[in-house]
């Protein structure tokens, strides 16, 4: 199979969906050519599809999302870009009170088929306002779908699904993945992955690691290290959709391994990992001794200095350590 | 006044009476404690939505705000289903999920009253974008109050509509109080003047004068339909009630309220009709008929069933698969 970069895979998804459906429009800050997006994901779109369907916007995040809402409920399928996840705060009302709720409030009269693409995340010394992972904010809001792919094939197939979805989708692209290369099926195959379905990215029998976006890659690397150094077979579940999340796949994996670590780059306190851990406890407590560890960023804004940033944001080493901690607790529990 | 024909005025007068009648009936029911939630009355402001809607087609869209009964009635909503929604019945427009502040009917182009001040401005721009991309002749009207013009969403949405020349008309019902805060306190400039900042026409009219609203809205809507871009239309008016039904309105003087009641938009139209040959008896009959229509609508609205509790979480998400087809 051919290998392409994550940013190329996402771009292909946009081109293919715009060709397939003339209701798809794309707008956001700096997305038109010659700039083609701050990270070049939209490069070439405005040249092929023209200024009616592909537009730059002023720096107006509330209007970008608001216009996407208005367009979505009147017949278009807008894909709007908010340049950084950190900037979503400016458009919060339109996301949370409008996009997420219009279908419900209307008694099911209408759907809100929009996609908000945004990128960001830690690891590039971008400091406190350009490096956050904010999926937990939106996972708290019924009506939104939060998609966070970890590789080029999923990135493309899930972005296509997001554009075809009748529900509002916030599509988070972890910046550290843009230059990751991976197998991606040919365009003719038109592969679309379902939203809300996790994937077992690596099979294992000793412990389940649940992760998404950039953390899935680190979980896979941690699993390799654990196999080599500890002989531990870790199963990695790539959640892919953070809300609504795939309980079934996570519980199925946990039923097999009976131990779990949930890992994310977002702040640990109030994170999505807490929700997943609590759900597994509730569902599995009667059946087995439940041992779960959580990995997340320290309760701090992201510092600028690279040596400080790595203190705050977890990676492979923290996942390995969390797995070892959980397994040692499990061993103690078994001895009891 | 200049452009309207006499035979067109009577139906508009009826529309104004229906808004006043609906609000009167809803207020009475609310005060009796039979309607849940809260209620915002638009009595005193009837000329604005009637003068604007006179130029709208069924497939044109409006965004409305918390004080939206007039906007949606003028756009064609059925008071029976409106009352049913106010009673939180399944026969209501939103099946009891929305209430007064979120009332919607997409088949009439009513994309919703809105509980968030200013939120409808960028949404209307988005509807305008939709019409522009699909190259239809539709327009979107966004109704909001003087309170909305100081929100970020207003500024961003106005600017976006202006730079893209979207077919949108922004109608500000300036009733001089944003809840309790006077408009003159909240801004150093007049509302219509702000249009200059976006490079679009800004027009200020007496919002209690149906004919003035009618003429200004006609120009603005024709301009939008012709692809010439948005207009900001400021209609100066006054709400007779407090911000919500039950608000005593301690922030306004009795004299001010009484003064505005003398400028009541409804009798002004009646006087015009009488002076153009419509018999007083005919107008009296029309008024009585509207009162009866609203009494009956409220009664029928209340007859609808209450929602089944097991349906509480319905319609959070659309069933998927539709779009894939």
């Amino acid at each position: 199979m051919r290998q392409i970069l994550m940013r190329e895979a996402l771009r292909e998804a946009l081109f293919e969906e715009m060709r397939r459906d003339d209701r798809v429009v794309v707008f956001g800050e700096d997305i038109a050519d010659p700039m083609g997006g701050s990270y070049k994901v939209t490069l070439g779109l405005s040249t092929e599809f023209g200024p009616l369907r592909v537009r730059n916007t002023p720096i107006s995040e509330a209007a970008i999302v608001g216009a996407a809402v208005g367009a979505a409920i009147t017949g278009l399928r807008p894909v709007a870009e908010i340049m950084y996840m950190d900037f979503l705060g400016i458009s919060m009302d339109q996301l949370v009170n409008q996009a997420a709720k219009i279908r419900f409030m209307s008694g099911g009269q209408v759907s809100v088929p929009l996609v908000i693409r945004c990128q960001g995340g830690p690891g590039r010394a971008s400091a406190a306002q350009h490096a956050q992972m904010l999926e937990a904010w939106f996972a708290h809001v019924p009506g939104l779908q939060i998609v966070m792919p970890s590789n080029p094939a999923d990135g493309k197939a899930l972005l296509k699904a997001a554009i075809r979805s009748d529900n509002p989708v916030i599509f988070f692209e972890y910046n550290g993945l843009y230059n990751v290369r991976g197998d991606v099926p040919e365009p003719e195959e038109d592969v679309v992955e379902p939203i809300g379905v996790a994937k077992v990215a690596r099979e294992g029998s000793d412990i389940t690691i649940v992760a998404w976006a950039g953390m899935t890659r680190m979980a896979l690397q941690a699993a390799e290290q654990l196999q080599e150094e500890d002989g531990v077979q870790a199963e990695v579940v790539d959640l892919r959709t953070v809300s609504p999340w795939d309980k079934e796949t996570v519980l199925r994996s946990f039923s097999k391994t009976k131990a779990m670590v949930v890992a994310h780059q977002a702040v640990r306190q109030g994170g999505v990992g807490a929700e997943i851990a609590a759900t597994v406890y509730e569902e599995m407590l009667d059946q087995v001794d439940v041992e779960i560890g959580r990995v997340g960023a320290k309760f701090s804004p992201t510092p600028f200095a690279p040596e400080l940033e790595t203190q705050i944001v977890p990676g492979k080493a923290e996942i390995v350590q969390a797995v070892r901690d959980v397994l040692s607790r499990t061993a103690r529990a078994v001895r009891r | 006044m200049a452009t309207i024909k006499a035979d067109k005025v009577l139906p508009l007068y009826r529309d104004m009476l229906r808004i006043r009648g609906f609000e009167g009936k809803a207020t009475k029911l609310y005060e009796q404690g039979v309607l849940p939630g809260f209620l915002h009355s638009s009595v005193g402001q009837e000329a604005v939505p009637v003068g604007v809607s006179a130029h709208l087609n069924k497939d044109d869209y409006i965004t409305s705000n918390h004080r939206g009964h007039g906007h949606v009635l003028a756009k064609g909503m059925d008071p029976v289903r409106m009352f049913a929604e106010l009673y939180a019945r399944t026969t209501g427009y939103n099946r009891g999920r929305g209430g007064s502040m979120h009332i919607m009917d997409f088949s009439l182009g009513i994309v919703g009253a809105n509980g968030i001040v200013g939120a409808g401005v960028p949404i209307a721009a988005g509807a305008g974008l939709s019409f522009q991309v699909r190259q239809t002749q539709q327009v979107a009207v966004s109704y909001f109050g003087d309170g909305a013009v100081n929100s970020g969403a207003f500024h961003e949405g106005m600017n976006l509509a202006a730079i893209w020349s979207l077919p949108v008309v922004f109608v500000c019902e300036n009733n001089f109080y944003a809840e309790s805060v006077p408009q003159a306190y909240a801004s150093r400039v007049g509302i219509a003047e702000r249009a200059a900042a976006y490079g679009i026409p800004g027009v200020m009219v007496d919002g209690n004068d149906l004919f003035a609203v009618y003429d200004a809205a006609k120009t603005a809507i024709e301009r939008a339909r012709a692809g010439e871009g948005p207009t900001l239309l400021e209609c100066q008016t006054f709400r007779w009630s407090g911000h919500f039904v039950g608000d005593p309105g301690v922030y306004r003087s009795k004299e001010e309220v009484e003064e505005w009641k003398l400028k009541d938009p409804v009798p002004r139209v009646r006087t015009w009709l009488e002076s153009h040959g419509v018999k007083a008896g005919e107008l009296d009959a029309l008024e009585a008929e509207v009162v009866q229509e609203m009494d009956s609508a409220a009664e029928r609205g209340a007859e609808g069933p209450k929602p089944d509790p097991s349906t509480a979480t319905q319609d959070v998400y659309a069933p998927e698969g539709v779009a894939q087809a």
Side-chain angles (χ1 to χ4, degrees):
Chain A
M1 201 182 293
R2 73 198 173 117
Q3 290 210 323
I4 58 174
L5 302 180
M6 177 69 127
R7 79 170 83 237
E8 294 166 342
L10 296 167
R11 191 187 303 144
E12 277 193 359
L14 292 169
F15 269 99
E16 288 172 24
E17 292 308 299
M18 287 197 78
R19 284 178 193 138
R20 177 183 171 276
D21 185 347
D22 59 17
R23 297 171 302 171
V24 179
V25 296
V26 174
F27 52 89
E29 294 159 13
D30 307 306
I31 62 112
D33 295 335
M35 179 86 172
S38 291
Y39 295 92
K40 307 292 173 209
V41 174
T42 54
L43 191 67
L45 285 178
S46 67
T47 302
E48 176 164 340
F49 299 103
L52 209 54
R53 292 178 66 196
V54 183
R55 305 179 183 210
N56 277 335
T57 65
I59 300 176
S60 300
E61 283 81 5
I64 292 169
V65 179
V69 170
I73 59 181
T74 53
L76 296 185
R77 292 191 162 259
V79 182
E81 178 173 320
I82 297 294
M83 192 190 289
Y84 276 80
M85 212 178 290
D86 313 67
F87 307 166
L88 285 171
I90 307 159
S91 53
M92 208 61 165
D93 172 63
Q94 291 293 339
L95 286 166
V96 169
N97 285 321
Q98 315 298 335
K101 293 181 173 60
I102 285 177
R103 178 179 175 80
F104 182 83
M105 292 191 300
S106 73
Q109 286 180 51
V110 74
S111 305
V112 190
L114 62 81
V115 180
I116 306 297
R117 284 184 48 245
C118 57
Q119 64 79 45
R124 304 188 316 142
S126 323
Q129 297 172 342
H130 287 72
Q132 300 171 83
M133 296 296 280
L134 298 173
E135 65 267 26
W137 289 10
F138 303 98
H140 197 67
V141 180
L144 296 177
Q145 300 183 121
I146 322 298
V147 177
M148 299 183 71
S150 70
N151 61 71
D154 279 353
K156 180 175 178 184
L158 284 166
L159 183 51
K160 287 167 76 89
I163 294 169
R164 297 183 197 189
S165 170
D166 284 337
N167 291 297
V169 177
I170 302 181
F171 196 89
F172 281 133
E173 299 160 13
Y174 171 52
N175 194 298
L177 295 173
Y178 275 149
N179 287 330
V180 165
R181 196 173 287 279
D183 291 344
V184 176
E186 294 296 333
E188 299 73 53
E189 294 182 46
D190 192 29
V191 176
V192 180
E193 287 282 326
I195 290 172
V197 179
K199 188 166 77 178
V200 176
R202 181 189 199 275
E203 294 207 15
S205 51
D206 298 329
I207 188 164
T208 299
I209 306 173
V210 179
W212 49 92
M215 217 47 163
T216 297
R217 278 175 67 75
M218 287 182 242
L220 289 167
Q221 290 162 12
E224 291 301 315
Q225 186 183 339
L226 286 160
Q227 182 178 339
E228 279 168 31
E229 295 178 8
D230 304 32
V232 164
Q233 297 299 330
E235 178 149 306
V236 176
V237 174
D238 184 359
L239 204 59
R240 305 198 294 181
T241 299
V242 166
S243 183
W245 62 281
D246 182 358
K247 236 187 262 189
E248 205 183 307
T249 299
V250 171
L251 290 173
R252 195 186 313 124
S253 177
F254 184 87
S255 302
K256 180 170 80 175
T257 62
K258 301 187 172 54
M260 188 173 93
V261 164
V262 193
H264 51 63
Q265 292 176 304
V267 167
R268 196 176 107 118
Q269 175 172 316
V272 172
E275 175 64 28
I276 294 171
T279 304
V280 175
Y281 270 112
E282 287 166 355
E283 300 279 335
M284 306 301 280
L285 198 54
D286 295 345
Q287 298 167 41
V288 288
D289 287 325
V290 178
E291 293 293 345
I292 300 177
R294 283 194 290 146
V295 174
K298 293 194 173 79
F299 196 58
S300 163
T302 313
F304 167 58
E307 54 273 27
L308 296 180
E309 184 173 13
T310 54
Q311 289 300 304
I312 300 296
V313 182
K316 181 177 90 163
E318 285 76 10
I319 298 174
V320 168
Q321 190 54 50
V323 167
R324 287 173 178 159
D325 289 349
V326 167
L327 290 178
S328 74
R329 292 208 306 269
T330 313
R332 279 200 301 278
V334 170
R335 281 197 296 277
R336 273 203 310 269
Chain B
M1 168 66 209
T3 62
I4 195 165
K5 295 197 176 75
D7 61 342
K8 290 249 181 80
V9 179
L10 194 61
L12 298 185
Y13 181 60
R14 183 168 177 271
D15 287 348
M16 288 173 70
L17 290 174
R18 289 175 84 235
I19 295 170
R20 181 151 301 184
F22 181 92
E23 297 289 31
K25 185 69 189 176
T27 299
K28 208 175 291 173
L29 293 170
Y30 188 80
E31 285 168 348
Q32 288 166 9
V34 298
L35 300 181
F38 35 49
L39 197 71
H40 305 90
S41 164
S42 69
V43 167
Q45 306 185 173
E46 295 87 345
V48 179
V50 171
V52 171
S53 257
H55 310 287
L56 295 179
N57 302 322
K58 192 178 173 192
D59 66 352
D60 291 324
Y61 278 78
I62 65 164
T63 68
S64 173
N65 62 357
H66 54 284
R67 201 175 308 287
H69 302 151
H71 310 147
V72 301
L73 275 165
K75 191 69 175 65
M77 267 197 181
D78 169 7
V80 176
R81 291 184 64 197
M82 284 177 69
F83 275 116
E85 189 60 31
L86 265 55
Y87 273 106
R89 302 304 160 92
T90 59
T91 42
Y93 273 105
N94 309 34
R95 297 168 52 234
R97 266 67 173 175
S100 159
M101 240 191 319
H102 306 294
I103 201 154
M104 304 178 192
D105 183 353
F106 281 77
S107 70
L108 292 171
I110 298 166
V111 305
N114 207 309
I116 308 296
V117 169
V121 173
I123 294 176
L129 173 66
S130 197
F131 310 147
Q132 189 180 66
V133 169
R134 290 187 284 116
Q135 296 173 331
T136 71
Q137 295 298 304
Q138 292 158 284
V139 299
V141 167
S142 184
Y143 291 105
F144 48 86
D146 49 292
V149 306
N150 298 313
S151 71
F154 169 84
H155 165 63
E156 292 191 13
M158 290 285 294
N159 187 57
L160 197 69
I163 64 162
W164 287 349
S165 290
L166 298 175
V168 186
V169 177
F170 298 102
V171 179
C172 179
E173 294 170 313
N174 178 6
N175 62 23
F176 295 97
Y177 288 88
E179 185 143 3
S180 74
V181 175
Q183 195 264 325
Y185 170 88
S187 175
R188 294 282 288 267
V189 295
I191 291 168
E193 288 171 50
R194 292 180 179 225
Y198 307 107
I200 63 170
V203 181
M204 199 249 280
V205 296
D206 175 357
N208 281 14
D209 178 349
L210 174 69
F211 304 107
V213 175
Y214 180 96
D215 286 355
K218 183 170 192 275
T219 306
I221 289 168
E222 281 173 358
R223 184 183 142 82
R225 259 192 236 291
E228 290 163 23
T231 301
L232 173 58
L233 179 56
E234 174 190 356
C235 304
Q236 299 196 340
T237 182
F238 204 76
R239 60 169 151 84
W240 289 10
S241 71
H243 167 60
F244 50 88
V245 176
D247 166 20
V250 294
Y251 44 85
R252 309 188 298 193
S253 72
K254 259 203 184 88
E255 294 72 28
E256 188 184 15
V257 177
E258 289 312 312
E259 213 174 285
W260 272 98
K261 284 186 176 175
L262 295 175
K263 298 187 251 181
D264 186 344
V266 177
R268 284 166 80 169
V269 182
R270 182 177 166 126
T271 304
W272 187 94
L273 286 165
E274 286 184 27
S275 73
H276 284 73
V278 183
K279 297 271 181 303
E282 191 184 334
L283 295 170
D284 291 342
L286 181 64
E287 284 161 28
E289 177 201 311
V290 166
V291 169
Q292 203 179 351
E293 182 199 0
M294 293 305 157
D295 284 345
S296 148
E299 232 167 83
R300 287 168 58 202
E303 285 165 3
K306 292 183 177 178
D308 174 351
S310 72
T311 64
T313 59
Q314 260 181 15
D315 294 317
V316 178
Y317 290 96
E320 288 295 355
V322 182
Q324 271 88 342

